[in-house]
Amino acid sequence: MNTNTAMLLCPEMRELTALRDALPITQTQLAQRLGISSEAVSVVERGDRQSSEAWRRRYREALLAELEEIPEGSKSKLHTIVERALIHGGDSPLN
Protein backbone atom coordinates (compact mmCIF):
# COMPACT_ATOMS: atom_id res chain seq x y z
CA MET A 1 0.00 0.00 0.00
CA ASN A 2 1.51 3.35 -0.98
CA THR A 3 1.13 6.47 1.14
CA ASN A 4 -1.46 8.01 -1.18
CA THR A 5 -3.57 4.86 -0.99
CA ALA A 6 -3.18 4.56 2.77
CA MET A 7 -4.99 7.88 3.16
CA LEU A 8 -8.15 6.30 1.71
CA LEU A 9 -8.23 3.60 4.37
CA CYS A 10 -10.10 5.21 7.26
CA PRO A 11 -9.44 4.02 10.81
CA GLU A 12 -12.86 2.33 11.02
CA MET A 13 -12.18 0.33 7.84
CA ARG A 14 -8.79 -0.76 9.23
CA GLU A 15 -10.55 -1.96 12.39
CA LEU A 16 -13.26 -3.79 10.44
CA THR A 17 -10.63 -5.53 8.31
CA ALA A 18 -8.72 -6.56 11.44
CA LEU A 19 -11.93 -7.93 12.96
CA ARG A 20 -12.65 -9.92 9.79
CA ASP A 21 -9.12 -11.33 9.89
CA ALA A 22 -9.52 -12.27 13.56
CA LEU A 23 -12.62 -14.39 13.00
CA PRO A 24 -11.33 -15.67 10.38
CA ILE A 25 -13.77 -14.90 7.60
CA THR A 26 -12.33 -14.74 4.12
CA GLN A 27 -12.86 -11.89 1.71
CA THR A 28 -14.70 -14.38 -0.51
CA GLN A 29 -17.13 -15.34 2.28
CA LEU A 30 -17.75 -11.70 3.10
CA ALA A 31 -18.21 -10.82 -0.58
CA GLN A 32 -20.78 -13.59 -0.99
CA ARG A 33 -22.69 -12.27 2.01
CA LEU A 34 -22.57 -8.73 0.55
CA GLY A 35 -23.46 -9.85 -2.97
CA ILE A 36 -20.29 -8.36 -4.48
CA SER A 37 -17.00 -9.71 -5.80
CA SER A 38 -14.13 -10.61 -3.52
CA GLU A 39 -12.03 -8.19 -5.59
CA ALA A 40 -14.36 -5.34 -4.54
CA VAL A 41 -13.83 -6.26 -0.88
CA SER A 42 -10.08 -6.45 -1.44
CA VAL A 43 -9.94 -3.04 -3.15
CA VAL A 44 -11.67 -1.34 -0.21
CA GLU A 45 -9.69 -3.24 2.43
CA ARG A 46 -6.41 -2.24 0.76
CA GLY A 47 -7.52 1.39 0.65
CA ASP A 48 -7.52 1.58 -3.13
CA ARG A 49 -11.08 2.87 -2.95
CA GLN A 50 -12.61 4.86 -0.13
CA SER A 51 -15.48 3.21 1.70
CA SER A 52 -18.67 5.08 2.45
CA GLU A 53 -20.34 4.96 5.83
CA ALA A 54 -23.15 2.90 4.27
CA TRP A 55 -20.61 0.41 2.87
CA ARG A 56 -18.90 0.07 6.26
CA ARG A 57 -22.31 -0.50 7.90
CA ARG A 58 -23.09 -3.28 5.38
CA TYR A 59 -19.62 -4.77 6.00
CA ARG A 60 -20.21 -4.73 9.78
CA GLU A 61 -23.67 -6.29 9.36
CA ALA A 62 -22.25 -9.02 7.12
CA LEU A 63 -19.60 -9.88 9.72
CA LEU A 64 -22.26 -10.00 12.43
CA ALA A 65 -24.40 -12.29 10.27
CA GLU A 66 -21.42 -14.63 9.84
CA LEU A 67 -20.88 -14.62 13.62
CA GLU A 68 -24.54 -15.40 14.26
CA GLU A 69 -24.15 -18.63 12.29
CA ILE A 70 -21.59 -19.93 14.80
CA PRO A 71 -23.42 -22.01 17.44
CA GLU A 72 -23.24 -20.37 20.89
CA GLY A 73 -21.39 -23.33 22.38
CA SER A 74 -18.74 -23.09 19.67
CA LYS A 75 -17.99 -19.37 20.03
CA SER A 76 -14.62 -18.58 21.53
CA LYS A 77 -13.86 -15.60 23.72
CA LEU A 78 -12.38 -13.97 20.62
CA HIS A 79 -15.69 -14.39 18.78
CA THR A 80 -17.50 -12.71 21.67
CA ILE A 81 -15.03 -9.79 21.76
CA VAL A 82 -15.26 -9.30 17.98
CA GLU A 83 -19.06 -9.46 18.13
CA ARG A 84 -19.18 -6.79 20.85
CA ALA A 85 -16.77 -4.56 18.91
CA LEU A 86 -18.95 -4.83 15.81
CA ILE A 87 -22.16 -4.13 17.72
CA HIS A 88 -20.71 -1.14 19.56
CA GLY A 89 -19.14 0.36 16.43
CA GLY A 90 -15.59 0.44 17.66
CA ASP A 91 -16.24 1.19 21.33
CA SER A 92 -14.16 -0.93 23.64
CA PRO A 93 -15.76 -4.39 23.72
CA LEU A 94 -14.46 -4.99 27.21
CA ASN A 95 -16.35 -2.14 28.92
Side-chain angles (χ1 to χ4, degrees):
M1 177 181 330
N2 66 43
T3 53
N4 292 335
T5 300
M7 295 179 73
L8 294 177
L9 192 57
C10 71
E12 184 182 5
M13 196 62 234
R14 276 192 217 107
E15 291 170 9
L16 288 171
T17 300
L19 291 172
R20 181 190 59 75
D21 286 339
L23 287 176
I25 293 172
T26 66
Q27 287 179 339
T28 300
Q29 289 170 305
L30 184 64
Q32 289 171 344
R33 173 87 53 189
L34 292 168
I36 60 175
S37 71
S38 56
E39 179 60 24
V41 171
S42 178
V43 165
V44 173
E45 286 188 355
R46 284 193 316 262
D48 292 345
R49 185 178 316 143
Q50 191 165 8
S51 62
S52 67
E53 188 172 327
W55 198 94
R56 291 188 303 272
R57 185 183 66 250
R58 286 184 59 218
Y59 186 106
R60 188 181 306 106
E61 290 168 355
L63 288 178
L64 281 168
E66 287 285 335
L67 274 169
E68 287 174 4
E69 291 185 5
I70 300 171
E72 280 303 316
S74 299
K75 285 186 181 177
S76 68
K77 185 172 184 172
L78 175 63
H79 288 126
T80 303
I81 290 170
V82 169
E83 189 170 40
R84 287 181 188 163
L86 289 167
I87 291 169
H88 297 292
D91 291 341
S92 173
L94 301 176
N95 290 340

